[in-house]
């Protein structure tokens, strides 16, 4: 067992202030727009993005190495259109590794995914935790299913998953995360009337 004199656990990373969220939303809009233009050569309406959804701070440990949360991404318009929606989501998360033993140099592996249905959309990100006490930030782009036509609301249940290597070095991994969703409509050159994108908890 480790000595009782181990250092106190640092507080969770603070939620970004509104100004930081605004800058992140602007950057996310650019990334989502680029993703949509690469995804298809078909005409697309201008991108519309959601407000930034800030998830609750997460702490993973060897005893509780998994976290998952469902989100609802909803795309709507005032009028019905027989056109397909092109939706994307961008997740940004900041991690801090706090080893139980201050002399521990090993770092655990972690993974992140955002999935819709039974399939992982956009794949799974895997990486190594940062150096002790030094936060790192990662971004992960997900292209959602494009089978929904704007004849009514297009709604996607997206499952966010974080996982830490349970059998690795002892300690905790603190995570702050946000999601911005964006959508365009295929075959349209203008944004449909009343077009909106939201991200919310179920």
């Amino acid at each position: 067992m480790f000595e009782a004199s181990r250092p106190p656990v640092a507080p969770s990373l603070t939620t970004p202030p509104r100004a930081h969220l605004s800058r992140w939303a602007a950057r996310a809009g650019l990334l989502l727009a680029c993703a949509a233009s690469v995804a298809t050569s078909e005409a697309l309406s201008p991108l519309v993005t959601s407000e930034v959804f800030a998830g609750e701070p997460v702490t993973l440990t060897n005893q509780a190495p998994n976290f998952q949360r469902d989100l609802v991404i909803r795309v709507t318009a005032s009028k019905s259109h027989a056109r397909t929606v092109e939706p994307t989501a961008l997740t940004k998360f900041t991690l801090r590794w706090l080893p139980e033993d201050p002399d521990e140099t090993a770092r655990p592996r972690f993974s992140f995914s955002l999935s819709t249905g039974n399939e992982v959309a956009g794949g799974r990100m895997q990486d190594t935790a940062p150096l002790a006490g030094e936060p790192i930030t990662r971004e992960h782009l997900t292209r959602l299913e494009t089978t929904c036509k704007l004849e009514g609301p297009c709604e996607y249940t997206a499952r966010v998953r974080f996982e830490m290597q349970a059998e690795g070095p002892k300690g905790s991994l603190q995570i702050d995360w946000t999601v911005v969703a964006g959508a365009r409509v295929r075959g349209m050159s203008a944004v449909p009337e009343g077009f909106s994108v939201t991200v919310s908890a179920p």
Side-chain angles (χ1 to χ4, degrees):
M1 295 181 62
F2 294 108
E3 296 295 331
S5 59
R6 69 192 184 198
V9 174
S12 174
L13 301 175
T14 57
T15 301
R18 184 173 296 275
H20 289 180
L21 288 178
S22 297
R23 287 195 293 271
W24 161 233
R27 171 174 165 73
L30 291 174
L31 293 173
L32 291 169
C34 291
S37 63
V38 170
T40 178
S41 59
E42 187 177 358
L44 291 169
S45 67
L47 180 78
V48 173
T49 60
S50 69
E51 297 289 331
V52 177
F53 178 91
E56 68 272 39
V58 175
T59 299
L60 303 180
T61 66
N62 303 85
Q63 293 74 36
N66 301 290
F67 168 87
Q68 66 180 37
R69 178 70 69 241
D70 286 346
L71 300 178
V72 176
I73 297 173
R74 198 166 190 265
V75 183
T76 58
S78 299
K79 297 181 180 179
S80 175
H81 296 273
R83 298 289 186 173
T84 303
V85 172
E86 183 81 22
T88 47
L90 190 65
T91 307
K92 177 180 179 180
F93 51 94
T94 301
L95 307 99
R96 179 182 288 148
W97 165 240
L98 300 170
E100 198 170 274
D101 180 354
D103 296 323
E104 177 66 77
T105 58
R107 294 176 287 162
R109 299 281 296 174
F110 77 89
S111 66
F112 164 81
S113 68
L114 187 150
S115 62
T116 54
N118 295 323
E119 299 296 326
V120 175
R124 180 184 297 273
M125 171 185 283
Q126 294 184 320
D127 205 343
T128 302
L131 295 172
E134 298 183 9
I136 59 170
T137 298
R138 294 287 184 264
E139 295 172 355
H140 189 267
L141 179 67
T142 304
R143 294 187 180 95
L144 306 178
E145 298 174 359
T146 58
T147 57
C148 184
K149 293 185 178 181
L150 203 58
E151 296 169 334
C154 288
E155 195 167 280
Y156 309 85
T157 298
R159 176 161 294 175
V160 173
R161 292 187 180 93
F162 291 101
E163 184 175 353
M164 187 183 87
Q165 181 185 1
E167 70 277 11
K170 305 297 183 183
S172 61
L173 188 62
Q174 295 183 346
I175 307 170
D176 278 351
W177 58 284
T178 58
V179 176
V180 176
R184 290 177 163 183
V185 182
R186 289 183 177 180
M188 298 187 71
S189 58
V191 175
E193 183 179 346
F195 193 68
S196 67
V197 184
T198 59
V199 180
S200 62

